[in-house]
Amino acid sequence: MTTHPSPDVAPTSERDERKRKKAAIAKYSLAGVALLGIGAAMTSAAWTDDAWFHGAASSASEIELMGSLTGEAGSWAEADAQGDVTLTITDDLTGFVPGEVRQVTVWLKNDSTVPLDVSSAVVTNETGVFDGGDPVTVGVAPVGVLQPTDEKAVVLTVAAPQWDNEDTAYMGADGGTFSVRFTGTTDLPTP
């Protein structure tokens, strides 16, 4: 009697082969699912949040360096251009003798809405005793930074050199003039 194997039963080697194929398919399927899960986790883990700030800025509304001969209310002038100089020094600067020094006080006021650095002063010597090889000189004391509404007295020093007896070129010289220009700038160094 010959027995035929039942249709449900496969030979052992065939059965083992099917198990291996199913195991391989299961492994690859699990690996694919794991990769998809990692990719989804990386995408969904990219949370973001924002912090917004809002601010308003404006430029200085006014830059104005004023000058005065007395520093008193009502005496301030803009005097912004050399041709528009309204501040004429009235102190007596005549009759200099050798080695004499005189001081004149002028006033500056920051009428701006921002600080002004007034470190720059330019003296222009023009004619007479302020001209030539050994002239009368004008020196200006440092001013520095003026805060808004600050007023400051500035001393101008007018000095004649120690002329000797042989140097008579300046004796009786007349009509000497000079100008002093102060410049205020908002270009302040940052702390």
Side-chain angles (χ1 to χ4, degrees), residues 65-84:
L65 182 63
M66 306 285 282
S68 170
L69 296 172
T70 63
E72 296 172 4
S75 69
W76 297 99
E78 290 182 11
D80 287 335
Q82 185 172 3
D84 185 31

Side-chain angles (χ1 to χ4, degrees), residues 56-158:
S58 66
S59 62
S61 62
E62 186 177 359
I63 302 295
E64 187 61 62
L65 182 63
M66 306 285 282
S68 170
L69 296 172
T70 63
E72 296 172 4
S75 69
W76 297 99
E78 290 182 11
D80 287 335
Q82 185 172 3
D84 185 31
V85 174
T86 57
L87 301 172
T88 301
I89 296 170
T90 57
D91 293 43
D92 185 12
L93 296 176
T94 61
F96 274 93
V97 296
E100 184 176 5
V101 175
R102 299 185 196 174
Q103 292 187 323
V104 176
T105 301
V106 296
W107 292 80
L108 294 174
K109 177 181 179 179
N110 181 359
D111 203 27
S112 308
T113 57
V114 293
L116 290 178
D117 185 355
V118 192
S119 5
S120 168
V122 176
V123 177
T124 305
N125 294 339
E126 291 162 7
T127 60
V129 293
F130 298 103
D131 199 12
D134 202 13
V136 172
T137 59
V138 179
V140 182
V143 178
V145 175
L146 296 177
Q147 296 300 321
T149 72
D150 276 1
E151 298 175 6
K152 183 168 185 172
V154 181
V155 176
L156 307 179
T157 302
V158 184

